[in-house]
Amino acid sequence: MGLVQLNAPGDFHAATEKRWDLRDPDGLEPVDVDVIVSRTPADFYRIAPTVTVSVNADGATVRRRSCSSDDFQCNFWEGDAILVARDVNPVADPIDAPIRLRFDPGVRAVGAWLGACTRDPFDTSLVDGQPLFGALWVALKSDPDTWRLVTAEGWTGDVCRVGTALTAPFVAARATAGDRIVEARFDVALLGNRRYDKIAVSELTVEV
């Protein structure tokens, strides 16, 4: 059993998009901006009728935010529904990863864009063009106690117009040989382990 890295959303087969502003794939239960979505019931979010994703059953508090100049500023598309958590450790590490997603049952592949912002009191974008390193650790159904890592490089930046190319790092992986991903953990790091305040995870791209 193993893992292969996917480099872009176009590498997915029959992908499903998981929007964080909707609890269910039919869009019948919206989630308001700035609502805490961590440690909610296991079926709070559904990717598909039979697949749920739990956000931070332990670890940092995670909120549903929006990418915009009026809310959380990072280089995702304007209006994207995102997950945001404070990141107290500038070094990327699976034990301290600030955003942790558990899938029930496991999924074939998962990926997301990653962003970061400056410290409080303002959730404003970092200076454009700083190297930003994204990390995704996954646990497989066949070996849930081992973390497998894929990484990607990108840049910091401001809110992007819809339809423009994103420069944020995109991290994604697919399980091989019929295995499934049961947990995904996301983290970022700035060059030289410089400080930032929060990490953002975009809407997911998933193969169920």
Side-chain angles (χ1 to χ4, degrees), residues 20-39:
W20 303 117
D21 57 346
L22 300 174
R23 288 182 57 171
D24 60 89
D26 296 325
L28 300 178
E29 297 182 77
V31 180
D32 291 335
V33 176
D34 209 29
V35 167
I36 293 174
V37 295
S38 50
R39 292 180 288 280

Side-chain angles (χ1 to χ4, degrees), residues 47-132:
I47 297 175
T50 58
V51 181
T52 62
V53 53
S54 301
V55 180
N56 281 44
D58 54 18
T61 297
V62 180
R63 294 178 180 273
R64 198 289 262 187
R65 303 282 295 272
S66 288
C67 178
S68 76
S69 57
D70 297 324
D71 188 2
F72 190 96
Q73 297 186 42
C74 68
N75 51 338
F76 300 158
W77 287 300
E78 177 78 33
D80 278 0
I82 59 179
L83 298 182
V84 173
R86 188 175 299 278
D87 193 352
V88 299
N89 184 357
V91 180
D93 184 283
I95 303 304
D96 294 326
I99 295 185
R100 311 168 184 186
L101 307 179
R102 293 179 184 169
F103 304 99
D104 185 19
V107 296
R108 293 185 176 91
V110 63
W113 304 92
L114 302 182
C117 81
T118 58
R119 295 188 180 192
D120 281 342
F122 306 107
D123 289 339
T124 53
S125 58
L126 293 154
V127 175
D128 281 356
Q130 294 187 56
L132 185 65

Side-chain angles (χ1 to χ4, degrees), residues 3-9 12 110-112 136 150-152 170-174 186 205:
L3 199 72
V4 294
Q5 182 165 0
L6 305 177
N7 297 312
F12 283 72
V110 63
L136 164 64
V150 297
T151 62
F170 180 81
V171 287
R174 177 186 291 124
F186 296 92
T205 304

